[in-house]
Amino acid sequence: MFVSSIKHKMPEQQPEIRRRNFDEVALGYDDTTAKAEASRCLQCKTAPCRQGCPVGINIPAFIKHIREGDFTAAIDEIKTKNNLPAICGRVCPQEDQCEKFCVVGKKGEPVGIGRLERFAADYARARGRKQKVILPPEPLGKVAIIGAGPAGLSAAGDLARMGYKVTVFEALHAPGGVLMYGIPEFRLPKEIVRQEIEELKELGVEIVVNAVIGKTFTIDELLTEEGFDAVFIGTGAGLPHFMDIPGENLNGVYSANEFLTRVNLMKAYKFPEAGTPVHAGKRVAVVGAGNVAMDAARTALRLGAENVYIVYRRSEEEMPARAEEIEHAKEEGVEFRLLTNPVRIIGDERGWVKGLECIRMELGEPDESGRRKPVPIANSNFVLDVDTVIMAIGQGPNPLVQQTTPGLAVNKRGNITTDETGRTSKEGVFAGGDIVTGAATVIQAMGAGKKAAAAIHEYVQNKRKGARNSQ
Amino acid sequence: MFTILKKQELAPSVKLFVVQAPLIARKCQPGQFVILRIDENGERIPLTIADFDRAAGTITLIFQEVGHTTRQLGRLSAGDALLDLAGPLGKATHIEKFGTVVCVGGGIGVAPVYPIARAYKEAGNKVISIIGARNADLLILEQEMAAISDVLYITTDDGSKGRKGLVIDPLKEMLAAGEKIDLVMAIGPVIMMKSVAEVTRPYGVHTIVSLNPIMVDGTGMCGGCRVSVGNKNKFACVDGPEFNAHEVDFDGLMARQKMYHSYERREHRCGGDCSCHR
């Protein structure tokens, strides 16, 4: 049988059109292409692809169903492991995960596992297919989940399937975490996020929005007064870093978190129909080169900016963003100013940004991260003519929960410390995702949520057994 | 949904709502605020909790109609509901017995001052309050403030009620007369808080202000509300909203508050000539 050495292309909106709209860029496979791509899978007995999937999907099994045209069987298989496949199929860095281990990928391109997962999820969603879950008449216990991002939702879905009564507390007015406020509509339509979360509710998961844990409730109150058997903390890395350079408080300077929250969660791109404004100027500098930076840059273009620059202190090779996102950004016209580091933001007399003074960099010896350390070149300063600056240099853990939870151990960066099952220093309290690891990926957070769900199950059942035995 | 149980007009364009919000009422302390969103298309705006009733499960919000969202809010009636209400947010006021505390409220700022002044009083302080407005019609919470203050000064810009002049005038006189003041708490327009800071600075009287920068989430995740305090960036929503007035960069705060002026005008199509942009 002839097997193509390259992945079947997924149709996309053309760059010159998509750079001015918020519609999804990648359009997804049709039935025929999905079957053809599924046929590239060798159905390895050892399935090395599975070791790259943080939630352990049986990849050859679901791909086999697609090849045979049984798309609903494919989604049922995926959903035994992954509660949010339409999201993961779109935003996972498959090149570093499942597809990295694909045998077909050793000689040509790996099987398009992410694209196939997305296809199966979209196929089922378009047909309103619901999963059938039989829950026990009496819940196995009550679990509170703090934060409705990928880690929390994944833990919630797994625990609900096991038979727990799960309540998710979310500080914002909509669940989803970074899926709602961070990742833009053109990569991950919010309607898809909303629908996948709706399905979780059908498993009996209750989601309480506008509940700021640490303020509305403390963790201790949830465990003592509110009667939860265990708590999972998945509050993410939502504290934006700034550079601490002069001019950072000028008008026109945003954290990427604020810029993206305004546009994604608050739909500022629809202003004034939506009530939240956003200021994307004509010439925008985005500082940083991770996925968040690419998202912010591509968003600024779509808001009408004429020039959008990625300003990054290292070279292209070290950019942390996914290759695909960098490629998309380039196609859309984002300009890269590499080996360039901001030193100050220059304002006009009214307090608005009018330029970004930068210094050129060269790469020296490798630093502790293993990447070559950028070193400034003396007297190489120049001014980039911009009216908006977006800082996308990373995020830290939001300290609200840690500050209000005595006995919860954190490391020097403020991340909660856990063992590998997600257990914290405090009994009955588990944590996972970015709040433990620092900013990482959606699927890693979901993997952590899954692991913690298993550990919570074990903990609650042991506790209940102990309580029965001592009676 | 959060039902509005009672609506009252305190002054032209200044309204009071009592809102059903048991989870917030259970926990809130003087100095804290909420973020609200009226409906699906709405923006998130911060409002200080002006009062609360734990037993009834209600909080009181007082707001001035200054733009699109607050005017839309002003059109709601008792029985209507707010889509989202998150809180209590921010750090609570540090309350203890200091001695003599002067509480200064300017304009709508009297609303957030009230629960704080009451708490100072309950903690055994001598409370001297100064409240002011542009004119008598705009003066709010006079009786409430009188009830919890040992001394109450009222000032109006035009002299239509109380003394003609600014809220800082009685404060200046007290300081000049050598009156012992242990703490000043001032809330109002930024320019007023800045003036209070300048009045107390030479006397070394500890002065606290409650800042009102632009906010989005109100939980520390965006930094939209950042202000420079003691030359360090602070997020008003989680590190504040109260700060040492002598360390605040008020000019920076005022500049940042204007960031969306052109958008706000576009939004409600007044062209910037309406009273809300004065």
Side-chain angles (χ1 to χ4, degrees):
Chain A
M1 187 180 69
F2 170 75
V3 176
S4 161
S5 68
I6 57 167
K7 275 186 208 174
H8 288 78
K9 275 210 164 332
M10 187 158 53
E12 288 181 346
Q13 275 198 78
Q14 288 309 302
E16 57 276 18
I17 296 170
R18 72 181 195 235
R19 72 195 290 270
R20 294 298 186 212
N21 70 49
F22 278 86
D23 300 339
E24 196 171 13
V25 167
L27 303 171
Y29 282 155
D30 60 20
D31 298 13
T32 315
T33 319
K35 280 197 231 174
E37 181 63 23
S39 301
R40 294 183 63 228
C41 173
L42 302 177
Q43 293 291 314
C44 313
K45 284 275 182 315
T46 53
C49 49
R50 290 189 70 177
Q51 67 182 271
C53 176
V55 295
I57 295 175
N58 189 342
I59 294 166
F62 95 78
I63 290 183
K64 184 159 184 276
H65 289 309
I66 293 180
R67 189 174 71 195
E68 291 165 356
D70 193 351
F71 304 140
T72 55
I75 193 63
D76 288 348
E77 174 60 49
I78 294 170
K79 286 223 162 175
T80 62
K81 293 289 181 185
N82 183 347
N83 295 305
L84 307 163
I87 294 166
C88 289
R90 284 172 167 80
V91 303
C92 277
Q94 290 99 6
E95 66 275 14
D96 292 328
Q97 296 178 330
C98 52
E99 295 181 16
K100 185 175 167 183
F101 296 94
C102 175
V103 172
V104 178
K106 299 222 187 294
K107 287 193 175 153
E109 287 186 355
V111 175
I113 299 168
R115 295 170 182 192
L116 290 170
E117 180 185 29
R118 166 186 169 150
F119 166 80
D122 287 358
Y123 178 92
R125 202 165 31 78
R127 283 156 189 76
R129 180 171 166 79
K130 300 285 188 304
Q131 333 155 55
K132 288 192 195 71
V133 178
I134 299 150
L135 300 175
E138 273 295 304
L140 296 180
K142 247 179 98 181
V143 181
I145 309 274
I146 316 306
L153 292 176
S154 164
D158 277 17
L159 286 162
R161 271 178 216 279
M162 289 176 206
Y164 286 87
K165 176 81 197 82
V166 179
T167 308
V168 182
F169 295 96
E170 166 58 42
L172 291 173
H173 59 254
V178 74
L179 307 170
M180 282 307 280
Y181 74 74
I183 303 174
E185 191 86 24
F186 55 83
R187 280 217 289 138
L188 179 63
K190 299 309 144 215
E191 184 54 25
I192 290 176
V193 179
R194 205 188 57 75
Q195 287 185 26
E196 287 215 320
I197 294 174
E198 279 305 307
E199 276 198 54
L200 282 183
K201 289 191 192 164
E202 281 165 28
L203 297 175
V205 172
E206 186 194 359
I207 301 181
V208 181
V209 295
N210 297 313
V212 187
I213 301 305
K215 297 286 182 185
T216 316
F217 293 102
T218 63
I219 301 275
D220 286 308
E221 285 166 345
L222 292 175
L223 287 170
T224 54
E225 294 163 31
E226 302 296 323
F228 287 97
D229 296 297
V231 175
F232 174 78
I233 304 172
T235 47
L239 183 79
H241 290 164
F242 287 90
M243 289 187 76
D244 287 328
I245 55 173
E248 243 172 346
N249 286 358
L250 288 164
N251 284 342
V253 183
Y254 282 108
S255 71
N257 266 13
E258 179 181 1
F259 185 71
L260 291 171
T261 299
R262 285 177 177 270
V263 179
N264 298 327
L265 179 69
M266 305 310 298
K267 308 229 172 294
Y269 64 94
K270 291 185 183 168
F271 181 88
E273 183 196 330
T276 305
V278 69
H279 174 81
K282 292 281 167 232
R283 291 172 308 280
V284 180
V286 179
V287 181
N291 290 319
V292 174
M294 299 304 142
D295 285 344
R298 297 172 69 196
T299 296
L301 271 181
R302 283 161 172 78
L303 292 170
E306 285 159 15
N307 296 91
V308 178
Y309 307 99
I310 288 282
V311 176
Y312 182 49
R313 62 197 181 125
R314 302 181 198 248
S315 71
E316 173 139 13
E317 209 175 302
E318 291 85 15
M319 292 203 287
R322 291 182 72 187
E324 185 186 329
E325 301 309 325
I326 295 168
E327 199 48 44
H328 277 145
K330 283 184 179 167
E331 286 169 4
E332 289 166 10
V334 173
E335 300 163 57
F336 287 71
R337 296 284 182 266
L338 303 176
L339 290 167
T340 300
N341 205 27
V343 292
R344 92 185 152 110
I345 304 168
I346 304 164
D348 65 15
E349 65 289 344
R350 291 166 48 249
W352 281 80
V353 174
K354 69 169 187 184
L356 180 66
E357 184 179 326
C358 301
I359 188 163
R360 294 192 202 283
M361 311 290 279
E362 58 190 354
L363 292 181
E365 295 298 309
D367 63 12
E368 63 277 8
S369 75
R371 296 178 299 180
R372 293 177 66 196
K373 189 184 159 92
V375 182
I377 302 171
N379 303 318
S380 66
N381 293 40
F382 68 100
V383 174
L384 201 57
D385 178 23
V386 294
D387 52 21
T388 303
V389 176
I390 300 169
M391 290 295 172
I393 54 168
Q395 300 100 239
N398 189 315
L400 215 49
V401 167
Q402 297 87 301
Q403 281 170 357
T404 53
T405 310
L408 189 65
V410 298
N411 66 17
K412 62 179 192 299
R413 295 183 158 188
N415 292 102
I416 296 174
T417 48
T418 66
D419 69 8
E420 57 189 41
T421 66
R423 215 162 34 175
T424 69
S425 60
K426 198 173 167 81
E427 196 193 325
V429 179
F430 297 74
D434 286 3
I435 190 65
V436 171
T437 57
T441 64
V442 167
I443 189 71
Q444 281 172 313
M446 290 177 54
K450 191 172 243 335
K451 247 187 209 163
I456 288 169
H457 175 53
E458 195 193 331
Y459 166 78
V460 175
Q461 293 317 308
N462 281 341
K463 189 174 92 170
R464 296 210 155 186
K465 239 180 269 164
R468 274 196 299 274
N469 292 344
S470 63
Q471 269 169 11
Chain B
M1 300 287 275
F2 300 84
T3 307
I4 299 163
L5 300 179
K6 179 183 153 193
K7 178 186 183 181
Q8 190 185 339
E9 184 163 316
L10 300 184
S13 83
V14 178
K15 289 174 180 148
L16 174 152
F17 283 167
V18 175
V19 183
Q20 186 84 54
L23 290 183
I24 301 173
R26 203 170 63 107
K27 273 301 187 62
C28 63
Q29 299 290 341
Q32 292 189 301
F33 66 95
V34 292
I35 294 263
L36 71 83
R37 195 169 72 122
I38 300 174
D39 58 28
E40 204 47 60
N41 271 327
E43 62 178 332
R44 296 167 66 95
I45 63 161
L47 285 179
T48 309
I49 300 168
D51 205 349
F52 51 86
D53 182 336
R54 298 204 204 281
T58 62
I59 60 168
T60 300
L61 303 174
I62 296 174
F63 60 95
Q64 183 166 22
E65 296 177 11
V66 291
H68 179 81
T69 297
T70 44
R71 282 198 281 168
Q72 186 189 351
L73 200 57
R75 286 194 293 272
L76 299 181
S77 317
D80 290 338
L82 307 171
L83 180 58
D84 296 298
L85 197 58
L89 300 172
K91 288 192 172 143
T93 309
H94 174 66
I95 304 285
E96 63 168 69
K97 187 170 177 185
F98 295 99
T100 300
V101 180
V102 176
C103 295
V104 187
I108 191 74
V110 182
V113 157
Y114 170 63
I116 298 170
R118 186 176 61 187
Y120 283 139
K121 180 70 193 163
E122 285 165 1
N125 290 286
K126 177 182 178 190
V127 173
I128 301 173
S129 298
I130 311 172
I131 62 173
R134 281 213 304 274
N135 58 53
D137 284 348
L138 292 172
L139 194 76
I140 61 168
L141 301 183
E142 182 190 338
Q143 283 162 21
E144 287 83 353
M145 288 299 290
I148 50 103
S149 305
D150 294 282
V151 185
L152 176 68
Y153 293 96
I154 292 170
T155 67
T156 49
D157 295 5
D158 64 357
S160 53
K161 177 123 200 189
R163 295 175 49 159
K164 181 173 162 53
L166 303 172
V167 285
I168 53 170
D169 297 341
L171 180 62
K172 274 184 188 164
E173 288 166 16
M174 280 184 258
L175 289 166
E179 187 153 346
K180 185 178 167 302
I181 298 174
D182 298 288
L183 180 72
V184 173
M185 160 66 70
I187 309 179
V190 181
I191 191 77
M192 178 215 104
M193 294 191 283
K194 184 184 177 188
S195 311
V196 170
E198 292 320 314
V199 167
T200 59
R201 192 190 304 273
Y203 294 92
V205 174
H206 187 44
T207 303
I208 298 167
V209 286
S210 178
L211 303 185
N212 51 349
I214 291 170
M215 287 188 189
V216 184
D217 61 288
T219 62
M221 63 168 266
C222 87
C225 66
R226 64 193 186 276
V227 284
S228 176
V229 181
N231 288 319
K232 283 216 174 82
N233 254 343
K234 300 281 182 186
F235 291 180
C237 71
V238 289
D239 299 322
E242 292 173 9
F243 294 101
N244 179 348
H246 297 149
E247 295 188 338
V248 171
D249 171 15
F250 289 105
D251 294 339
L253 173 60
M254 277 187 274
R256 277 186 68 80
Q257 281 182 332
K258 291 182 187 139
M259 176 143 173
Y260 295 102
H261 267 193
S262 62
Y263 292 86
E264 285 156 8
R265 281 198 289 273
R266 185 173 127 210
E267 185 179 30
H268 47 90
R269 299 180 181 85
C270 66
D273 293 329
C274 67
S275 60
C276 59
H277 286 98
R278 277 212 289 263

